[in-house]
Amino acid sequence: MIIIKNNIAIDKMRHAGHILVTILEDMRQYVVVGVSTFDLDAMIEARMTAQGLQAPCKGYGTYKFATCISLNDGIVHGVPSKEIILKSGDFVKIDVVGAYKSYCADLTRYYFVGEVSATVRRIAEVAQIALDSAIAVIKPGIKLSDISSLVQNIVEKEGFGVVRDFAGHGIGQHFHEEPSIPNYGKPGKGPVVREGMAFAIEPMITEKSFEVRILPDGWTAKTIDGGLAAHVEDTVVVTKTGVEVLTRLV
Ligand code: MF3
Ligand code: CO
């Protein structure tokens, strides 16, 4: 069942989203050579707590951190570590869920450490274009898979792959709610999008193979062939005419 959010719920999600995006944008000054992903996670968690946000990823199954931080060929669910120290050229993706009075927002931002390759810039740009294009088509009356097929078409036209093993999702009092929103598929299928639905839209794209391998930590997902991966994500709520993006600064 896809839960329709009322204005009280949306207000809480909006508050969570605004705080989270402010934190992730402010982190740009700290995502630099020499810092560990463990320290970045701790800084983000401290800022969330100080501003009244819960971190539902922490304690989700065996997961122990507020954020997921994925580098280079890391797609999603990178486990923060004192051993992972940023170096010039790294392509960093920070994914975080924050909850205000138990209502969640979920977003991912990317960061370039020092000088990155042209391929890093291009894959990041294509992921961002795919997300922006998806956000632009969501409105009441479309079918859910219209989003999926749009993302796949944009990404594959640029010669990149879309990951099959993970998907976007509905979001609310739980950070994973129905429906699942894959980044591939044929248009015109699945449930009809309606006002008050809230979605985390998250293209995950790869330079080469879209196949995934999971590290022995049980979480960190990387490309099977070591090719680069990009991931971007925003939380949106469907309005009468389109969407409101809850995880961007206007
Ligand atoms: N933020 C992720 C998502 O976009 C979920 C994090 S998994 C967890 O769906 F283990 F960190 F909780
Ligand atoms: Co998500």
Side-chain angles (χ1 to χ4, degrees):
M1 188 190 52
I2 305 178
I3 299 166
I4 300 292
K5 276 79 195 177
N6 64 24
N7 284 333
I8 299 166
I10 294 167
D11 270 344
K12 291 173 187 160
M13 294 175 67
R14 186 184 287 121
H15 185 74
H18 184 81
I19 292 174
L20 278 185
V21 64
T22 304
I23 293 171
L24 282 202
E25 289 303 331
D26 182 60
M27 287 304 291
R28 295 198 178 278
Q29 62 189 304
Y30 305 109
V31 182
V32 294
V33 173
V35 72
S36 74
T37 59
F38 181 92
D39 288 340
L40 292 174
D41 174 79
M43 291 173 70
I44 293 165
E45 186 184 353
R47 284 161 171 73
M48 291 170 66
T49 307
Q51 294 178 79
L53 288 195
Q54 304 139 261
C57 290
K58 194 170 176 168
Y60 177 74
T62 60
Y63 203 75
K64 295 188 173 57
F65 297 93
T67 70
C68 302
I69 306 183
S70 304
L71 268 56
N72 304 321
D73 58 338
I75 306 165
V76 288
H77 302 169
V79 178
S81 165
K82 287 182 179 163
E83 257 97 80
I84 304 176
I85 314 269
L86 302 190
K87 54 187 190 322
S88 185
D90 279 343
F91 178 34
V92 179
K93 289 84 68 173
I94 303 182
D95 183 356
V96 59
V97 181
Y100 178 66
K101 298 191 173 168
S102 88
Y103 276 91
C104 298
D106 185 358
L107 77 164
T108 303
R109 290 291 184 273
Y110 63 80
Y111 306 78
F112 299 149
V113 181
E115 282 301 307
V116 297
S117 69
T119 313
V120 166
R121 288 179 186 279
R122 185 62 189 152
I123 197 170
E125 183 180 31
V126 170
Q128 190 66 53
I129 291 169
L131 174 59
D132 293 347
S133 306
I135 286 172
V137 298
I138 302 172
K139 60 179 183 184
I142 71 162
K143 292 287 198 95
L144 199 73
S145 81
D146 297 345
I147 304 168
S148 309
S149 95
L150 179 72
V151 168
Q152 181 176 22
N153 287 341
I154 290 170
V155 170
E156 291 184 348
K157 200 162 0 119
E158 297 300 330
F160 294 121
V162 288
V163 170
R164 270 57 167 177
D165 292 36
F166 303 99
H169 47 92
I171 181 167
Q173 284 184 289
H174 301 279
F175 65 87
H176 287 159
E177 290 185 357
E178 285 180 39
S180 174
I181 310 171
N183 291 303
Y184 67 98
K186 295 195 194 319
K189 297 188 185 305
V192 175
V193 170
R194 300 197 190 281
E195 184 179 357
M197 290 181 178
F199 303 138
I201 306 293
E202 48 181 319
M204 289 157 265
I205 79 173
T206 58
E207 181 189 0
K208 300 173 197 158
S209 169
F210 58 74
E211 297 289 348
V212 167
R213 73 189 167 102
I214 307 291
L215 296 197
D217 63 28
W219 286 97
T220 305
K222 295 192 171 196
T223 58
I224 204 161
D225 56 12
L228 288 167
H231 176 213
V232 289
E233 176 175 28
D234 280 302
T235 296
V236 305
V237 58
V238 181
T239 63
K240 269 191 187 9
T241 54
V243 292
E244 177 185 346
V245 185
L246 303 182
T247 47
R248 290 190 185 178
L249 297 170
V250 280

